[in-house]
Amino acid sequence: MMDRRSLLAGAAGLATMRASAALAMAPVSPGVPAGVVDNAPLEALPGKKPLIKLSYRPPNFETPVEYFRDAITPNDAFFVRYHLADIPQVDAAKWSLKIGGGANPLTLTLDDLKRDYPAVEVTAVCQCSGNRRGLSQPHVPGVEWGYGAMGNARWKGARLKDILEKAGVPKEAIEIVFRGADGAVNPKTPNFVKSLPIWKALDENTIVAYEMNGAPLPHWNGFPARLIAPGWTATYWMKHITEISFSDKPFDGFWMKSAYRVPLGLFPSTDRFISQETPANTPITEMMVNSLITSHADGAKARAGASLSIGGVAWDSGRGVARVEVSTDDGKSWREATLGPDLGRFSFRTFSFALGKPRRGKLSVMARATNKAGQTQVSTAIFNPPGYHHNVIQKITLDIA
Ligand SMILES: Nc1nc2c(c(=O)[nH]1)N[C@H]1C(S)=C(S)[C@@H](COP(=O)(O)O)O[C@H]1N2
Ligand SMILES: [Mo]
């Protein structure tokens, strides 16, 4: 199925990376503690703009905050996250997707997927469970993401439901299991395999996408097809998807049983993954309501006496953003920002807020999003050892001079 396996560790890969690597250093994100990732190199993976490199093998690159000024994140600036370092260049002509374990096992080519199933499009945020982990206090191990382990795109593909129904959903099926083409360099490392509860797999918004913002998926974001599970953290969004199967028991691979879990009841999640719950914990499910100021970095300068407005994006798990409020008095009072166009309930929603003509001095600005279920961002992080679901209200300080 694969044409050639391009181990990032390969000497050629390294040489290309070194040659193309701008030695530029960029401030990662405001608030990331000193000594963690104060500065990370900006480097371009083939086909990508320079992104913030947090690890190289496997590749973990985050999107600089400026790219979130638009509600849609460009494909060539979209973050890249992998668990394992053997990442094949998939040849679309040879690729196939197997759906096994049903009454009617299927093997679909890319053409079958495009021709035999109605194409649907959903605009949805893809956010790593560990986005902003670098801000966790106390500090926790893992990829030390700042604010950019996320992106928002228009995903086009076939409804997973339509594919599963054609494959014949067994009565006993409780989970759907997903595999991708990438693997570990060390055969002892467990492959990245994920499952979803059947209700989420059959949701009409869950799709097998082959287009992102009107173009084929970039290699680094799952070419030729990946799973889109709107509202849920990106751990379920299997890239380079090759196999889907029905399961009548909880899938017990490492990436379900041991990783990507949160203590039961710690977060206000309402989406349940009951077949995987233990008395102590649950797989992570939907994203928490969140927002990010994108118009200004922490410490940015602005002109005294000139009109100033700030802007950013807000999102949640698909309940929908109800409002974004801004405070310039450290959270004592809040005023409502203006929301931008509604691109759908799973999308980033832009916001803007006019700050008037501020006087010389330091101006602190906070933004807080609330969703239509009444959930809002937290003032202090809900600590958990893997550093998931960071949605602390952000505060930046502007230097008005
Ligand atoms: N095949 C495969 N799919 C994967 C992963 C992976 O390691 N391999 N990582 C998941 C995780 S944890 C995240 S955050 C998203 C990242 O998507 P992106 O690289 O397109 O930004 O992919 C998900 N799908
Ligand atoms: Mo992730």
Side-chain angles (χ1 to χ4, degrees), residues 171-202:
K171 271 202 312 292
E172 318 73 49
I174 58 169
E175 292 186 10
I176 308 295
V177 181
F178 305 92
R179 289 166 204 270
D182 47 324
V185 175
N186 179 341
K188 287 192 186 132
T189 310
N191 261 333
F192 188 70
V193 183
K194 297 293 293 187
S195 68
L196 281 177
I198 188 130
W199 70 264
K200 182 68 177 172
L202 293 176

Side-chain angles (χ1 to χ4, degrees), residues 240-295:
H240 319 286
I241 189 168
T242 53
E243 251 184 272
I244 301 177
S245 53
F246 297 99
S247 177
D248 58 5
K249 48 183 186 303
F251 181 76
D252 70 352
F254 173 81
W255 300 102
M256 289 306 302
K257 205 169 119 182
S258 307
Y260 289 104
R261 286 188 168 260
V262 291
L264 265 180
L266 185 65
F267 294 98
S269 324
T270 52
D271 284 0
R272 301 276 300 270
F273 196 161
I274 291 173
S275 55
Q276 288 281 348
E277 287 178 7
T278 72
N281 59 41
T282 169
I284 193 164
T285 56
E286 83 265 31
M287 294 182 282
M288 298 291 119
V289 62
N290 216 339
S291 67
L292 178 68
I293 297 169
T294 57
S295 57

Side-chain angles (χ1 to χ4, degrees), residues 81 128-129 260:
R81 198 272 183 267
C128 184
S129 316
Y260 289 104

Side-chain angles (χ1 to χ4, degrees), residues 296-304 308 359-364 396-401:
H296 296 80
D298 190 27
K301 289 188 166 45
R303 273 211 358 254
L308 177 65
R359 284 195 302 262
R360 208 172 287 275
K362 301 280 184 215
L363 178 66
S364 88
I396 62 168
T397 303
L398 300 180
D399 184 7
I400 312 293

